[in-house]
Amino acid sequence: MKRVRTTVPAPAELGTPLLAVPAGAPVELDLRLEAVMEGVLVSGTAATQVVGECARCLEPVADEVEVEFRELFTYPDRYGDAGRGDDDDDLGQLIDDHADLEPAVRDALVLSLPLSPRCREDCPGLCVDCGARLADVGPGHTHERSDPRWAVLSALEVPAPEVNADGGVPSDPTPSSLDSLEKD
C-alpha cells in the first residue's frame, strides 16, 4: 500500500448548472493505492471549494466539499480482448503504470453536489410579482392583484340600493336597476 497526498487543478465544467468547482481551483487529493490481483485499487478523498448561486433567491453561495471515492484500475493485458466482459467496461485501466483519476473524482464530486443549493435552509426565495428577495423585504410584503377574469365587472356601475324608511333594503329590486344590468 502506498499513500499519496497531492493538490491538482480542477478541470473545466466540474459541477452542476447552479453549483460548480471553478476551473483551475485546487483539489486536494488524499489517496491510498493498493495492489490487488486485478490491478490497483485507488481509494481516498477529494476536497475542494464550490461556488454558485442559491436556487431560490439567486444569491451567491460558496462551500467546501469533501467526498470519498474508490476505483479499480486493471492492467491492460490482464484479460486480453476475449476475456474482458461487459461488466468490466466501467473499470479504469492502467496505461504505462498511470491511472487517470479525473473520471472517478468528477463522478464523486458532481454526484455529491445538491441540485438545488440554498444560501440558507430557510431561504424564502423571490417575490413572484416584483422579484425582490423576500428575506430583505420581510414577511408582510404583498402586492394588490386583481383577477383579470373579474376586471370587466369593475367597469359596471350598479346604483346603490334604495333604503326604506325603516333603514332596510327593499326585497325586490327596482326595474331601473335591472334594466341597467341587462343592457351591459
Side-chain angles (χ1 to χ4, degrees):
M1 182 188 77
K2 181 178 181 181
R3 290 199 65 113
V4 176
R5 289 189 179 161
T6 186
T7 302
V8 296
E13 299 177 8
L14 180 60
T16 64
L18 290 177
L19 198 62
V21 178
V27 178
E28 297 174 12
L29 299 174
D30 184 8
L31 306 173
R32 215 170 102 175
L33 310 169
E34 297 178 71
V36 294
M37 191 68 128
E38 296 84 12
V40 176
L41 179 65
V42 179
S43 57
T45 61
T48 188
Q49 182 85 17
V50 291
V51 295
E53 57 189 22
C54 177
R56 291 186 179 172
C57 68
L58 305 177
E59 284 294 305
V61 173
D63 199 6
E64 290 186 14
V65 173
E66 183 172 339
V67 295
E68 293 183 7
F69 65 95
R70 177 173 291 148
E71 187 78 21
L72 176 64
F73 293 89
T74 61
Y75 299 113
D77 56 354
R78 168 88 176 136
Y79 296 106
D81 292 337
R84 193 170 172 98
D86 290 339
D87 293 339
D88 298 331
D89 288 342
D90 291 338
L91 297 176
Q93 281 197 343
L94 292 170
I95 300 172
D96 296 329
D97 290 334
H98 290 91
D100 183 12
L101 293 177
E102 183 180 334
V105 172
R106 178 182 296 277
D107 289 348
L109 278 171
V110 172
L111 291 175
S112 73
L113 297 177
L115 293 177
S116 298
R118 289 180 281 188
C119 58
R120 61 179 210 240
E121 278 300 312
D122 61 342
C123 178
L126 300 174
C127 175
V128 295
D129 292 322
C130 66
R133 277 188 76 224
L134 293 175
D136 294 339
V137 295
H141 180 75
T142 60
H143 294 276
E144 287 293 323
R145 288 194 285 178
S146 62
D147 192 338
R149 297 173 290 183
W150 297 100
V152 174
L153 293 178
S154 65
L156 286 176
E157 290 185 28
V158 179
E162 297 176 15
V163 179
N164 290 341
D166 61 356
V169 179
S171 59
D172 60 351
T174 60
S176 63
S177 64
L178 285 178
D179 291 338
S180 68
L181 289 175
E182 290 175 359
K183 291 178 186 176
D184 290 337

